[in-house]
Amino acid sequence: MSIALRRSWLVAALVLASAFVTSLALGTGAVGVRALAGAMDALSLYELCFAVCAMAISSARVDLPARASAGDSARVLVDISGRAFGFGLWRRRGEIALEWEEHRVPYDRLGGVASFKRPGGYQVQMEASSLRRGQYRLRGVCVRLSDAFGLLSVERQLPAEGVMVVYPKVLPAGEWTREVERQVRACERARDGARTVPTGGLVPFRTGERRSLIHWPTSLRMGNLYARELAFDRPRPWLVVPLAEQNDVFLTEQVLSVAFSLVVHWQRQGQSVECLAPASTDGRATWRRCRTFDEVGRALASVNASANVAAVPRAELRGEWGATIWVTARACDAIARTVDSRAVTVSAVDVWAIVDAGRKGAREAAHFRSS
């Protein structure tokens, strides 16, 4: 906690000048001098009371959102407490700035929305716009107060704690997600086509399966088609692997956004999907396997766009996956690290172009309807 008084010498000079004029007025008795002395005394008292109220601020507490998405806005609540709060200083002359570790700011702009007086201080609602992906740790709060005449400014540095996690941007689902899912289903069927070992059980026949698997005695008896259950009929999760573009922050953000959008979209549909996210452990580049929404979001939020990416471990790509989805920057990028040539590759640049074109078309249609 620290205190900084700006232009405090003006206040000291004002107090000395006020004392001199007051003593001169008492000695001469002139009406004009007395009026000047009274005005200077009132101004000096105001400045001193302002300084006392500003320096009486004792603590700050920041309520950050649990999670947010890149590109969106978020509300931040800041509680300012003090031993003495008066004169309505905050509503007119207060300003708040949040300070973050490593000087990494998670937003483009932070502005006040409203302030409410409460016992012992004020609560300020702020809006952070155009959030940036990443994990940010709050270091403190800087409170600046200035008087009505601009003579004195008090700046308080108050400690505060909090963590803001900004997940990658989630793109709207559309034809691009359906096309990726069609490719994944085809890849899944190609992988499982060679595994035709029956388990002995029977399951309802699904469209697209081989007719040779139909168990006709049971189908005729039940009135519906039944097929022999194969070893691969047990659902296996899909694996999404984002390949971040080294030394290109813009392309990396696009890749992570597309990968996160696929995970979110399929998890909402009830599909079992996991993500293999690049991570850094003890300064070493590794890969982290994530299953839940928050695990994937936090892992992708922590990806350093300027760091080198380690090779994907081959052991993570074998075995249990129904399909592997590689998210790269461009369609022409070679996937030399894949183990199975039948894996699906998604171009982040192409996906963003499709989404942007859809948004532009929607805006033009809305403008046409309103005109």
Side-chain angles (χ1 to χ4, degrees):
M1 183 184 300
S2 61
I3 303 174
L5 293 175
R6 297 182 180 180
R7 296 185 296 275
S8 58
W9 60 272
L10 286 177
V11 179
L14 177 62
V15 173
L16 293 177
S18 176
F20 174 75
V21 174
T22 301
S23 63
L24 184 62
L26 293 176
T28 61
V31 177
V33 178
R34 287 186 177 183
L36 178 61
M40 295 185 68
D41 289 343
L43 181 59
S44 300
L45 181 61
Y46 167 78
E47 295 294 342
L48 292 175
C49 290
F50 168 82
V52 170
C53 292
M55 289 187 295
I57 298 175
S58 59
S59 63
R61 185 178 65 85
V62 182
D63 186 11
L64 297 172
R67 61 174 181 245
S69 296
D72 294 342
S73 298
R75 287 293 178 92
V76 179
L77 296 179
V78 182
D79 287 323
I80 305 296
S81 302
R83 294 179 294 272
F85 247 89
F87 302 103
L89 296 176
W90 178 257
R91 288 181 181 272
R92 296 193 299 268
R93 298 291 176 177
E95 182 182 350
I96 281 182
L98 303 182
E99 298 179 344
W100 305 86
E101 291 185 358
E102 301 178 0
H103 302 287
R104 296 173 61 241
V105 181
Y107 41 75
D108 285 345
R109 187 178 64 86
L110 182 68
V113 177
S115 61
F116 306 93
K117 188 175 181 180
R118 62 175 181 79
Y122 278 91
Q123 183 182 79
V124 183
Q125 292 185 1
M126 313 193 75
E127 183 174 5
S129 60
S130 300
L131 297 176
R132 307 187 188 106
R133 180 193 60 85
Q135 289 195 14
Y136 305 87
R137 186 172 299 276
L138 186 65
R139 184 179 60 184
V141 177
C142 179
V143 180
R144 302 185 185 95
L145 293 174
S146 59
D147 67 340
F149 304 100
L151 298 179
L152 181 62
S153 177
V154 181
E155 183 175 294
R156 301 296 311 275
Q157 300 285 342
L158 304 172
E161 295 181 352
V163 177
M164 175 181 283
V165 182
V166 182
Y167 293 172
K169 183 178 181 62
V170 178
L171 301 177
E175 183 59 33
W176 72 273
T177 55
R178 291 187 288 271
E179 177 60 29
V180 173
E181 187 166 354
R182 282 194 290 267
Q183 296 182 24
V184 170
R185 295 289 186 186
C187 174
E188 195 174 32
R189 288 193 297 269
R191 281 188 170 188
D192 295 334
R195 301 181 59 183
T196 58
V197 181
T199 62
L202 297 176
V203 295
F205 180 78
R206 292 173 294 190
T207 303
E209 290 184 327
R210 290 174 296 165
R211 296 183 180 273
S212 60
L213 297 177
I214 297 177
H215 192 266
W216 291 107
T218 303
S219 300
L220 294 174
R221 185 174 67 253
M222 302 297 296
N224 291 317
L225 291 178
Y226 279 82
R228 291 175 294 169
E229 183 184 26
L230 302 181
F232 61 81
D233 281 329
R234 293 184 294 272
R236 294 185 295 167
W238 298 344
L239 180 66
V240 177
V241 186
L243 294 180
E245 191 77 7
Q246 296 183 12
N247 301 323
D248 195 322
V249 177
F250 181 73
L251 289 180
T252 297
E253 297 300 329
Q254 290 187 334
V255 169
L256 298 179
S257 177
V258 172
F260 190 53
S261 300
L262 289 174
V263 173
V264 172
H265 174 68
W266 286 332
Q267 285 188 350
R268 287 173 179 173
Q269 290 186 336
Q271 174 65 40
S272 178
V273 57
E274 300 181 14
C275 180
L276 194 63
S280 178
T281 304
D282 298 330
R284 296 178 301 174
T286 59
W287 289 82
R288 177 184 175 187
R289 182 173 166 183
C290 308
R291 294 178 174 84
T292 65
F293 170 82
D294 285 321
E295 285 183 354
V296 176
R298 289 181 176 273
L300 296 182
S302 303
V303 174
N304 186 355
S306 60
N308 293 329
V309 180
V312 181
R314 291 179 177 269
E316 294 285 353
L317 304 176
R318 295 193 181 99
E320 61 185 283
W321 310 115
T324 304
I325 303 94
W326 296 86
V327 182
T328 65
R330 304 176 184 86
C332 60
D333 293 340
I335 311 300
R337 287 170 281 190
T338 57
V339 175
D340 194 334
S341 60
R342 289 169 293 183
V344 176
T345 303
V346 180
S347 168
V349 173
D350 294 343
V351 170
W352 272 81
I354 294 172
V355 173
D356 290 340
R359 290 173 179 170
K360 182 179 179 181
R363 288 195 298 267
E364 292 177 350
H367 176 72
F368 177 78
R369 288 194 298 267
S370 61
S371 60

